[in-house]
Amino acid sequence: MVHDSTEQKFTFLFTWFDRTGDGHLTRDDFQRIGEVFAAVTPDESAKSVLRAAFMIWWDVLGEAGVPDAQGRIGPQRFVSAMRSHVASDAATLERLVMPIVDALMRALDTDGSGALTADEYVRLYDALGITPAVSGAAFRRLDRNGSGTLTHEEFRAAIEEFYLSTDTEAPGNWMLGSPLPSG
């Protein structure tokens, strides 16, 4: 079960990152997904951080020898690399993924409150191709204290759980609006 939920999460990411839909990830796909994320904010500093973060992610996969001779990563190699190079420790996650989370939080927290409202969260995921019905359900699950907002800490905890937790009921595994199957 642990293997299946982890594989499902990372297979979803693979499909989401495969901007060309050709069944392989390339440097170009990581540049494109960086542009998709950068498009959610008018803040040039946040755009720069988002673009750079995805390129660092690609570079880490390259340093790990994940791309094949043509510079492509297939789904199984990606899932395996995510397990061994991203989800294996919190420090790598902090280096690769959390700059994306922090830049998004700064960009989307339009009132400077340190928290995302449901509208801000839904707007983010709508821009990333996740329907409002799905992201709205996710928001309600991720709002751990029922305050009607996601604090920076709650948002980071959700992302950390998505990447590191094998508990299919962990709130972070609902980040995109639906639970992972339990078996």
Side-chain angles (χ1 to χ4, degrees), residues 118-138:
D119 287 343
E120 289 169 329
Y121 185 85
V122 167
R123 194 170 32 253
L124 161 66
Y125 281 98
D126 187 39
L128 297 176
I130 306 297
T131 68
V134 169
S135 59

Side-chain angles (χ1 to χ4, degrees), residues 5-26:
S5 67
T6 300
E7 183 162 335
Q8 184 177 8
K9 288 188 281 190
F10 297 152
T11 298
F12 176 86
L13 282 182
F14 177 89
T15 302
W16 202 21
F17 286 7
D18 183 9
R19 304 314 293 173
T20 60
D22 65 0
H24 292 92
L25 297 179
T26 63

Side-chain angles (χ1 to χ4, degrees), residues 2 21 27-28 35 44 60 122 129 152 183:
V2 169
R27 182 177 183 78
D28 185 53
E35 290 301 326
E44 288 302 320
V60 166
V122 167
H152 195 173

Side-chain angles (χ1 to χ4, degrees), residues 44-83:
E44 288 302 320
S45 175
K47 285 179 186 285
S48 180
V49 168
L50 291 165
R51 289 179 185 120
F54 281 99
M55 297 320 303
I56 290 168
W57 198 334
W58 173 259
D59 291 344
V60 166
L61 293 173
E63 290 164 9
V66 179
D68 65 17
Q70 289 83 32
R72 302 177 311 171
I73 302 171
Q76 283 311 113
R77 286 179 75 122
F78 180 76
V79 169
S80 178
M82 289 298 292
R83 275 196 192 105

Side-chain angles (χ1 to χ4, degrees), residues 16 19 31-41 50 127-129:
W16 202 21
R19 304 314 293 173
Q31 287 173 323
R32 288 179 184 198
I33 195 70
E35 290 301 326
V36 168
F37 274 74
V40 304
T41 177
L50 291 165
L128 297 176

